[in-house]
Amino acid sequence: MEAKKEWYLEYEISRNRPGLLGDVSSILGMLNINILTINGVDTMRRGMLLLTDDDEKIEVLRNVVQKMDNITITRLRPPTMLDRLAVRHGRYIERDSEDKKTFRFVRDELGLLVDFMAEILKKEGHQLIGIRGMPRVGKTESMIAASVSANKRWTFISSTLLRQTVRSSLAIDELSTDHVYLIDGIVSTLRSTEKHYSLLREIMNFPAAKIIEHPDIFARESEYEMSDFHYIIELRHHPDEEITYELINNRGFDNFDMN
């Protein structure tokens, strides 16, 4: 007998007639495929996390559902992190069509954003996340909440949360792989000391997670590049808000309220 394995089924509904979900559930029951989680992931889409010990049953499921009226399979695969989040929160995370490592959120979706970042932070080793957004949109609170959710300790290397923080050294217990290092890309590149930058290099080479606010400025003003980031997160007050650093470019750091 094969080990039990999870699968993600998502289907699009062309006409949501009464009993449609019951029909799908009955097919799964007859195949002895367990439903772990179910949720709508769009207005006319439904997603399910399934569990079975026989991959052949998944192919039977695919063939049967393809014959059903009113629904079309859009995904049937081992679940990705994004699939799990879609079922948990009832919607897919918006992803840039050209830059696949860029993900977009609005402030009303902070719960989804925190869950997304926490899943990344649970991964072992070097994880580099950049987060873009205008002042007071929730970047720092999301970074801290995600660290807590991932059961990781968090340490500011640079920040303007309460007052400007520019660390030049760490205590012994602050350098460990269960830490998340939070870095303000503007402070670390435009207002740092040589000692701070030396610490920054050490942290960037350390096999632990890092989250950098304002990654564009960080890449522009340092030896690091945007290609070094594994994920870029954009957080806006509303979907049409423009993220701009015009105040920094025109008048300098002091005119950009980072709190």
Side-chain angles (χ1 to χ4, degrees):
M1 182 180 293
E2 297 179 27
K4 290 189 175 181
K5 191 164 92 176
E6 291 186 8
W7 291 81
Y8 177 65
L9 167 65
E10 182 187 289
Y11 58 85
E12 188 170 16
I13 304 167
S14 56
R15 186 173 71 86
N16 196 10
R17 60 171 175 77
L20 183 58
L21 177 58
D23 290 347
V24 175
S25 300
S26 296
I27 294 169
L28 291 167
M30 287 187 289
L31 291 171
N32 199 26
I33 298 175
N34 295 327
I35 301 174
L36 299 179
T37 314
I38 183 170
N39 204 345
V41 293
D42 202 346
T43 307
M44 295 297 284
R45 292 194 182 196
R46 185 165 285 123
M48 300 180 180
L49 282 180
L50 309 175
L51 185 68
T52 180
D53 58 4
D54 188 347
D55 290 354
E56 291 184 5
K57 291 179 180 179
I58 295 298
E59 288 309 307
V60 173
L61 173 66
R62 187 193 306 273
N63 293 331
V64 172
V65 173
Q66 283 176 341
K67 300 294 185 182
M68 293 180 64
D69 295 332
N70 304 316
I71 66 175
T72 303
I73 293 178
T74 50
R75 293 176 173 90
L76 183 55
R77 64 192 182 195
T80 66
M81 177 181 69
L82 296 180
D83 294 335
R84 295 182 189 279
L85 290 171
V87 173
R88 191 182 308 166
H89 290 270
R91 64 171 295 269
Y92 257 94
I93 296 170
E94 183 182 349
R95 197 171 189 174
D96 190 283
S97 58
E98 295 182 0
D99 182 2
K100 295 299 184 181
K101 69 181 180 183
T102 297
F103 299 84
R104 297 192 178 103
F105 299 83
V106 294
R107 185 169 170 78
D108 288 346
E109 300 168 335
L110 285 187
L112 177 57
L113 170 56
V114 167
D115 247 10
F116 175 64
M117 280 202 290
E119 290 299 320
I120 299 170
L121 298 179
K122 290 174 185 176
K123 298 179 180 180
E124 298 294 328
H126 172 65
Q127 299 292 329
L128 187 59
I129 305 170
I131 182 166
R132 297 178 178 129
M134 298 303 287
R136 295 179 297 280
V137 72
K139 299 184 298 298
T140 304
E141 64 189 90
S142 299
M143 292 156 56
I144 294 173
S147 302
V148 173
S149 180
N151 199 29
K152 295 287 185 77
R153 299 172 65 186
W154 48 273
T155 296
F156 281 111
I157 302 301
S158 56
S159 174
T160 57
L161 181 60
L162 298 175
R163 62 184 185 276
Q164 183 168 294
T165 299
V166 182
R167 301 286 299 274
S168 58
S169 64
L170 293 179
I172 294 176
D173 65 347
E174 289 181 306
L175 194 62
S176 67
T177 55
D178 68 346
H179 266 75
V180 178
Y181 297 100
L182 310 181
I183 299 166
D184 186 307
I186 295 175
V187 174
S188 281
T189 57
L190 299 182
R191 282 204 160 184
S192 66
T193 63
E194 188 56 44
K195 286 185 177 180
H196 170 79
Y197 203 78
S198 177
L199 174 64
L200 182 66
R201 281 198 185 100
E202 181 181 358
I203 293 298
M204 290 294 285
N205 289 325
F206 192 66
K210 278 78 69 172
I211 308 177
I212 299 182
E213 293 187 63
H214 318 298
D216 306 273
I217 301 297
F218 182 79
R220 189 185 77 187
E221 301 293 334
S222 74
E223 66 199 69
Y224 302 99
E225 300 178 355
M226 292 304 297
S227 59
D228 293 324
F229 288 87
H230 299 107
Y231 301 88
I232 296 293
I233 291 167
E234 296 181 349
L235 180 58
R236 294 173 168 84
H237 289 96
H238 55 81
D240 298 324
E241 181 180 42
E242 182 183 3
I243 299 173
T244 175
Y245 297 103
E246 184 178 352
L247 286 174
I248 296 176
N249 295 333
N250 292 344
R251 285 176 282 173
F253 174 85
D254 291 334
N255 291 281
F256 197 82
D257 181 2
M258 302 304 299
N259 294 322

